[in-house]
Amino acid sequence: MRASRFTVNDEAKFNWQIITKLWPYLTEFKGRVWLAMSCLVAAKLASVTLPFILKHIVDNLNLDSAIATAMSVIIALIIAYGGLRLANVLFGEIRDTLFGRVTERAMRRLGLTVFNHLHQLELDFHLSRQTGGLSRDIERGVSGISFLMRFMVFNIGPTLLELAMVVGILFYNYGFTFASVILASVISYVWFSVKATDWRTKYVKAQNMADNASSTRAIDSLLNFETVKYFSNEKFEADRYDQGLADWEKARRKNRLSLFALNGGQAFIIAFAMTSMLALAAFEVANGNMTIGDFVLVNAFTMQIFMPLNFLGFVYREIRGSLANIENLFSLLDREPQIKDNDNATELEVSSGKVEFHNIAFAYHPERPILKDFSLTIEAGSKVAVVGESGSGKSTLVKLLFRFYSPQTGKILIDGQDIADVTQSSLRQVVGIVPQDTVLFNDTLFENIRYGRPDASKEDITTAIEMAHLSAFVAKLPEGLDTKVGERGLKLSGGEKQRVAIARAILKGSPIMVFDEATSSLDSQSEQAILQALKNVEHGHTSLVIAHRLSTIVDADNIVVMHQGTIVEQGKHKALLEKQGHYYQLWRAQNDN
């Protein structure tokens, strides 16, 4: 199973341009951003002041002055310490609350932008996508914004600010040695963390790829639940999924061992730095150059610096992963749709509904042409049926009419307007369809029918249900129109799903109607009832019928017979039978069976 093309690339270098792309999504609440930054600085100032309070508390405990005076000073210092500790926490919480709104809105806006963009991409992209892997990558990308902002703004930035303040304080109060030891230790820690994290990224990447592959395998199998059951391949699917999980388990084990090496090295550097700083401070106290309070201050500063750095390896790797994940989303946004509106595209205006195909040539792949110099005119208000063997290009006509693809040569006109020069939205608004394979949303029957026109009234929906001969079926359901149809409509039969599709098309009320083998899943009785309803719907509409059952299109104004991408015959039913050509052979084959 091929992994999703949009996988996390942990080996990629930092692409800081992602921050510039992300910035417009963060600027909606500029005031909140600046206020959050102010709280961040205030929290760090309170944090840096705390060790000084501890120093004075300890030094005052060692004074030989009057007990009452000493206790009053100590109590004041303790209260100040508590106040600063509270201020540090409160400023941090206020900062998180303020910036949380900014991050959440950025996630929402970017997520919506990607969602809208995916709906603008061409059909070919969605036919070749892998839902499981792609959905995981989108989820990771949007979540990556939260992680990136949280750790860049609330971890890396504050830590660098605090480090600069601590090194300056140590240098000013205790000299070069203390400042150089802490600075060298931090630099060593950061260098080791970055190098070790870069080394272990291949294990993280392998884990992510294994996770994507197993997730995609599981989703593909569950979406095709019926197919699995038809062929009794539950064990086959389980074995393939287990193999994916085994790859994930192996990758995760290697990832865990590499994490042990990273954490062990970091712990050694921290222990060495702490020991060195305490040894220096103890030596100075023994020589009378520092007080016990200074010893406590140095220890507090050292711990304060290394506590946030303790997760640097994790933070660095996750920030890289977040940048890569976000870059994947922007890569999606940078993908230009193959089918898009012209800059000067106009709204399609339908007066009568005449459809013309002029010299159309089209191929999904250059080596396999589908349509060859195809021309057809569908007069306004007429019913034209297209028949032929599988692969002759019948359904391709529908995809071209909806502009899911563009022909390599030729053009399609509706009332004299080239559909390449009008907006896709206005085009698809005037063309209704009953597809061969009706896929429903995992929602109620009512909502699936209303999807044809979301603003339709209940009366209009009821009328559409009656015209589609769904009323009797709905009446038998315990929950009626509130019945859930299941994922992709799996709780309904093929015929029931097609009637829902017909009700949708009726509700949409488009002047041009397309029926892509719309009755192929119906029994004869239901077919005849719906055909009568469709005749009422077709009245006053231009109809293009892609037909397999020839008995359903004997009343067509024109029957077009296709063979290998070209029209070999066309005419009315009786005239085509008299010619005893391709149509006659198809008719005989179906009636003999």
Side-chain angles (χ1 to χ4, degrees):
M1 177 61 61
R2 180 168 56 89
S4 170
R5 60 180 297 180
F6 298 106
T7 52
V8 177
N9 183 8
D10 295 294
E11 293 179 350
K13 300 298 181 184
F14 270 130
N15 182 3
W16 293 109
Q17 290 183 347
I18 294 300
I19 303 298
T20 62
K21 289 184 176 181
L22 191 57
W23 182 248
Y25 294 92
L26 301 171
T27 55
E28 187 169 344
F29 301 107
K30 291 181 180 178
R32 281 178 171 266
V33 173
W34 288 115
L35 191 55
M37 293 300 101
S38 300
C39 290
L40 186 153
V41 173
K44 282 305 165 188
L45 287 174
S47 178
V48 169
T49 307
L50 286 172
F52 285 100
I53 302 295
L54 278 176
K55 163 186 159 54
H56 290 299
I57 290 174
V58 172
D59 285 342
N60 274 278
L61 288 172
N62 288 327
L63 292 177
D64 294 330
S65 56
I67 294 177
T69 304
M71 285 306 297
S72 63
V73 172
I74 291 170
I75 290 172
L77 288 170
I78 290 174
I79 292 172
Y81 180 85
L84 285 172
R85 177 69 70 180
L86 178 62
N88 180 36
V89 173
L90 287 179
F91 279 126
E93 290 296 323
I94 294 172
R95 174 203 65 190
D96 291 354
T97 301
L98 289 171
F99 206 80
R101 178 80 181 278
V102 178
T103 303
E104 289 154 6
R105 180 58 60 85
M107 292 170 66
R108 171 187 168 186
R109 289 179 60 197
L110 182 57
L112 179 60
T113 301
V114 173
F115 180 82
N116 286 333
H117 185 71
L118 287 173
H119 276 288
Q120 293 172 3
L121 292 178
E122 65 280 0
L123 178 64
D124 192 56
F125 169 82
H126 290 280
L127 291 176
S128 61
R129 83 194 192 281
Q130 289 187 312
T131 307
L134 180 60
S135 65
R136 291 293 289 272
D137 287 328
I138 294 173
E139 179 186 346
R140 286 174 183 158
V142 175
S143 299
I145 298 172
S146 175
F147 191 96
L148 181 66
M149 291 298 100
R150 187 168 70 250
F151 281 93
M152 285 289 290
V153 176
F154 302 151
N155 188 289
I156 301 298
T159 299
L160 292 176
L161 175 63
E162 188 172 9
L163 175 62
M165 295 170 68
V166 168
V167 169
I169 289 169
L170 291 176
F171 178 77
Y172 181 81
N173 288 317
Y174 305 111
F176 175 77
T177 304
F178 283 92
S180 61
V181 168
I182 195 71
L183 185 60
S185 299
V186 170
I187 291 174
S188 299
Y189 184 93
V190 172
W191 178 86
F192 172 78
S193 297
V194 170
K195 290 297 181 182
T197 302
D198 287 341
W199 161 72
R200 63 184 296 268
T201 50
K202 58 180 178 288
Y203 302 115
V204 178
K205 181 181 179 182
Q207 180 182 321
N208 283 339
M209 291 182 66
D211 183 34
N212 264 8
S214 61
S215 174
T216 300
R217 178 68 259 155
I219 291 175
D220 281 349
S221 180
L222 293 174
L223 286 177
N224 293 282
F225 173 82
E226 282 190 65
T227 305
V228 175
K229 290 293 184 183
Y230 287 146
F231 293 94
S232 299
N233 275 340
E234 293 90 345
K235 186 178 185 305
F236 175 73
E237 289 294 324
D239 289 342
R240 286 210 292 181
Y241 184 50
D242 186 51
Q243 182 58 53
L245 291 177
D247 294 339
W248 171 82
E249 180 185 17
K250 182 179 179 181
R252 188 172 177 83
R253 182 171 65 250
K254 291 181 178 180
N255 183 30
R256 187 175 63 253
L257 292 174
S258 66
L259 181 61
F260 170 76
L262 172 64
N263 290 340
Q266 289 175 330
F268 175 79
I269 295 173
I270 292 174
F272 181 81
M274 293 285 293
T275 303
S276 300
M277 290 293 285
L278 291 179
L280 282 172
F283 181 77
E284 292 296 325
V285 170
N287 288 337
N289 298 325
M290 290 173 60
T291 65
I292 297 296
D294 291 316
F295 179 88
V296 172
L297 181 144
V298 169
N299 181 51
F301 269 139
T302 307
M303 292 180 64
Q304 205 161 291
I305 283 295
F306 279 104
M307 280 180 64
L309 286 176
N310 197 35
F311 297 99
L312 180 63
F314 167 76
V315 170
Y316 172 71
R317 176 175 62 80
E318 291 300 321
I319 285 179
R320 287 188 61 176
S322 296
L323 284 171
N325 287 328
I326 296 170
E327 187 173 11
N328 286 341
L329 289 195
F330 283 110
S331 295
L332 276 174
L333 290 175
D334 291 339
R335 182 187 176 101
E336 287 289 332
Q338 293 180 10
I339 307 297
K340 56 184 179 181
D341 294 341
N342 296 333
D343 293 336
N344 56 350
T346 59
E347 296 291 308
L348 176 62
E349 296 181 3
V350 177
S351 55
S352 59
K354 182 179 180 181
V355 179
E356 301 170 83
F357 293 85
H358 281 299
N359 306 116
I360 300 295
F362 176 77
Y364 297 104
H365 303 287
E367 65 276 6
R368 185 170 173 257
I370 302 297
L371 297 175
K372 308 165 191 174
D373 196 26
F374 179 90
S375 294
L376 174 66
T377 298
I378 306 174
E379 295 295 341
S382 67
K383 176 181 179 179
V384 172
V386 180
V387 301
E389 72 273 10
S390 297
S392 60
K394 305 187 300 295
S395 293
T396 298
L397 293 176
V398 178
K399 294 182 175 67
L400 292 175
L401 180 60
F402 274 90
R403 276 203 77 195
F404 290 154
Y405 298 94
S406 291
Q408 276 80 46
T409 61
K411 57 185 178 180
I412 302 173
L413 306 178
I414 294 180
D415 284 343
Q417 302 161 82
D418 191 338
I419 65 171
D421 296 329
V422 301
T423 63
Q424 296 175 69
S425 177
S426 65
L427 166 65
R428 292 164 190 163
Q429 194 62 40
V430 301
V431 183
I433 185 170
V434 179
Q436 179 181 4
D437 183 20
T438 303
V439 178
L440 304 181
F441 294 94
N442 190 9
D443 206 334
T444 64
L445 191 60
F446 179 83
E447 290 299 330
N448 271 285
I449 295 172
R450 189 169 69 170
Y451 199 78
R453 182 157 53 92
D455 60 349
S457 66
K458 193 164 184 178
E459 291 73 19
D460 290 339
I461 296 171
T462 302
T463 301
I465 290 171
E466 291 173 354
M467 293 182 70
H469 289 259
L470 265 173
S471 302
F473 167 68
V474 173
K476 294 178 183 177
L477 297 173
E479 297 180 52
L481 287 173
D482 294 326
T483 302
K484 291 276 188 179
V485 302
E487 189 166 358
R488 300 171 68 236
L490 290 176
K491 291 183 179 180
L492 304 184
S493 69
E496 289 161 355
K497 286 196 291 184
Q498 281 197 319
R499 276 186 268 185
V500 171
I502 292 169
R504 272 183 184 171
I506 294 171
L507 188 63
K508 187 177 180 182
S510 302
I512 300 171
M513 301 289 285
V514 176
F515 304 96
D516 190 357
E517 304 198 20
T519 62
S520 61
S521 295
L522 300 178
D523 56 70
S524 299
Q525 184 177 357
S526 298
E527 180 183 71
Q528 292 304 314
I530 290 179
L531 284 175
Q532 185 59 47
L534 290 180
K535 286 181 181 179
N536 297 331
V537 177
E538 291 163 0
H539 182 69
H541 294 76
T542 303
S543 300
L544 172 61
V545 182
I546 308 299
H548 172 68
R549 293 184 186 177
L550 302 185
S551 59
T552 63
I553 47 94
V554 294
D555 63 334
D557 299 306
N558 187 26
I559 298 174
V560 177
V561 185
M562 294 187 64
H563 178 68
Q564 295 184 355
T566 60
I567 297 176
V568 292
E569 287 179 341
Q570 60 178 313
K572 287 184 175 291
H573 170 70
K574 185 176 180 181
L576 289 174
L577 287 180
E578 291 174 351
K579 287 179 65 175
Q580 296 193 4
H582 282 78
Y583 183 78
Y584 176 78
Q585 296 299 327
L586 291 171
W587 179 264
R588 290 247 349 234
Q590 288 194 11
N591 281 277
D592 288 345
N593 292 332

